[in-house]
Amino acid sequence: MGKRGEPGSASTRGPARNPARNPARNPVRTPPPQNGESHWTAARRAARWLPAVLIVGGGAFDYFTPPRYTYAPFFCSAPLVAAALLSLRATAATALAAVVAAVTLAVYHRVHDTAESATEVTTVMAVSLLALGLNRIVRHGDQQLASARGIAEAAQRAVLPTPPARIAGLRVAARYVAAQADARIGGDLYAVQDTPHGVRVIVGDVRGKGLGAVEAVAVVIGAFREAAEQEHTLEALAARLEHALRREGARRANLDQSEGFTTAVLAEVPPGANTLRLVNRGHPPPLLLHADGRVAETYPEAPALPLGMGDLGGWPDRAEEWEFPAGTTLLLFTDGVTEARDADGVFYVPQERLRGKQFRSPDALLDTLAADVAHHSGGHTADDMALLAIRRGDGLHHPVAAARGTLSATVTSTLTHASPADLD
């Protein structure tokens, strides 16, 4: 069921749909930090000066207040704050400064009441020792957290490796934007692979969170890598992925067998053709961004269930074909984009926000999209976002095409300047 000509024409699609909602479900290079994250980093750096401010403030408080007011809360707070924010050496220096300051003030301002002064100094010393112990506990926890983050990042790089910037004459860019600043891995997925049948792509979103979602991502990506090379059609490739999810769901306890599913879009760019084939299994439809700023929506003619829901009913997949001329960019994304809301609850609609804009590269497109979604939602997105952009060049960027063009130009120039004797 080919769709050629103008793919963005709404008259050929039937009734208009709400592009911000996914009917099938309800809810590299790292993009720049969101405003909330950068503000938190700046606040943490400023807080490192707080222990010194407390010690100086305690001394000033003791100097300008009557003798019955004590400096102890200031000097006790300084090493405790340092324990949470600074290193062991800095915490020890802060504790020593607090004790020295307490002894100094006791000698020069509280000599008339030796018992009270001794109590205050003892309190500061006890809290300082406690702060040193707390610092070791906090630093040990930080080391464990850093180790866990490193493992998560390594796992994500293994499961979702960054695709090459150029594949078979296509320019490619990918992003994974976590909903939480500290998150490093989730249930969104993408993969790009050059196969004998053309460049094949998958972008998907696994239902659920945690370890079960990560395992399902590994299953889908692994099955895609193998089947993309072997299957001759996208329909057969989708069937292989469906079978892999059902098989692994029966074997692995962490894969939800009763409610687990994966929304996905499979795409194929055949070699030597300005066309694009898509199979959509309950996923937000990709967009085609043309060089003149037009945005075409690739809604499927017949909706299909997500992968892993074949037990509820099924019908043969049917790949749909679209025009994919030179200079056009295919944009695929997960529902973290379309489910982002602003303060008034308005969904983010990417086709409206991107219409009329031009981008110098797929990387620039994804950077702009990620920043615009963060701005729309105020930096509080509800779900992760996997973004993938693929641009078809003019053909001269492909190594084989470039070599053929150079050879053709050389032969033409030789024939043009050759004499009849040279041609004999």
Side-chain angles (χ1 to χ4, degrees):
M1 50 176 67
K3 293 183 179 65
R4 299 184 178 272
E6 175 53 50
S9 175
S11 62
T12 61
R13 296 289 177 296
R17 309 180 192 182
N18 181 359
R21 297 180 180 272
N22 180 0
R25 59 176 298 191
N26 295 317
V28 193
R29 189 173 72 179
T30 303
Q34 300 176 357
N35 292 335
E37 182 180 353
S38 60
H39 291 166
W40 169 251
T41 302
R44 185 178 179 87
R45 290 177 179 174
R48 293 178 179 273
W49 293 97
L50 186 57
V53 172
L54 287 170
I55 293 177
V56 174
F61 178 84
D62 183 82
Y63 182 81
F64 290 107
T65 58
R68 66 178 179 273
Y69 294 100
T70 178
Y71 54 80
F74 291 89
F75 293 164
C76 290
S77 299
L80 290 176
V81 172
L85 299 177
L86 306 179
S87 65
L88 177 62
R89 181 177 298 179
T91 302
T94 302
L96 179 62
V99 172
V100 170
V103 172
T104 301
L105 292 179
V107 170
Y108 287 98
H109 295 288
R110 300 294 175 86
V111 292
H112 63 280
D113 191 345
T114 305
E116 181 180 354
S117 298
T119 301
E120 291 175 345
V121 172
T122 303
T123 300
V124 174
M125 294 179 63
V127 173
S128 297
L129 293 175
L130 177 63
L132 293 176
L134 290 176
N135 179 267
R136 299 311 303 151
I137 296 175
V138 171
R139 296 284 81 80
H140 180 68
D142 289 344
Q143 292 175 359
Q144 289 184 323
L145 179 59
S147 176
R149 286 179 176 174
I151 293 173
E153 290 175 355
Q156 176 135 346
R157 287 193 298 268
V159 175
L160 298 179
T162 301
R166 293 184 181 274
I167 299 178
L170 303 174
R171 300 180 65 183
V172 181
R175 300 284 186 279
Y176 192 100
V177 183
Q180 298 180 357
D182 292 335
R184 292 295 184 271
I185 191 167
D188 291 7
L189 61 96
Y190 57 78
V192 183
Q193 190 161 328
D194 189 10
T195 74
H197 317 289
V199 175
R200 286 181 168 175
V201 178
I202 183 173
V203 170
D205 188 359
V206 174
R207 174 198 173 273
K209 304 291 182 181
L211 182 59
V214 175
E215 289 196 26
V217 168
V219 170
V220 174
I221 292 296
F224 172 81
R225 294 293 188 192
E226 179 181 5
E229 296 283 341
Q230 300 174 353
E231 300 297 340
H232 294 279
T233 66
L234 281 185
E235 294 89 340
L237 175 56
R240 284 278 295 272
L241 297 181
E242 175 83 28
H243 177 70
L245 278 174
R246 296 177 63 184
R247 180 190 66 235
E248 295 300 321
R251 293 176 51 200
R252 305 191 188 192
N254 286 329
L255 294 182
D256 194 337
Q257 301 180 46
S258 60
E259 298 181 1
F261 58 84
T262 300
T263 67
V265 170
L266 299 173
E268 178 184 273
V269 182
N274 290 334
T275 57
L276 168 72
R277 299 189 185 113
L278 295 175
V279 168
N280 192 325
R281 297 294 296 269
H283 199 77
L287 301 178
L288 287 170
L289 281 64
H290 295 273
D292 58 3
R294 290 180 297 117
V295 178
E297 306 166 64
T298 63
Y299 282 111
E301 285 190 349
L305 291 174
L307 298 171
M309 299 185 69
D311 292 339
L312 301 180
W315 49 87
D317 288 300
R318 301 176 67 179
E320 301 180 9
E321 195 169 277
W322 303 80
E323 292 287 348
F324 192 35
T328 302
T329 302
L330 173 66
L331 174 62
L332 305 102
F333 47 85
T334 55
D335 58 9
V337 174
T338 54
E339 291 179 359
R341 306 189 192 190
D342 63 10
D344 298 325
V346 178
F347 287 100
Y348 184 88
V349 185
Q351 53 268 39
E352 295 181 0
R353 308 284 290 222
L354 298 175
R355 184 173 290 117
K357 297 181 180 180
Q358 296 178 335
F359 304 92
R360 66 181 183 276
S361 66
D363 283 302
L365 166 60
L366 297 190
D367 287 340
T368 300
L369 178 60
D372 195 38
V373 171
H375 179 266
H376 178 81
S377 62
H380 303 289
T381 54
D383 200 358
D384 296 352
M385 297 186 299
L387 310 174
L388 188 67
I390 301 175
R391 174 174 294 181
R392 177 184 285 281
D394 56 9
L396 295 180
H397 296 291
H398 194 283
V400 176
R404 290 175 178 172
T406 303
L407 178 60
S408 175
T410 303
V411 173
T412 301
S413 176
T414 302
L415 294 177
T416 300
H417 293 89
S419 65
D422 296 329
L423 299 177
D424 291 339

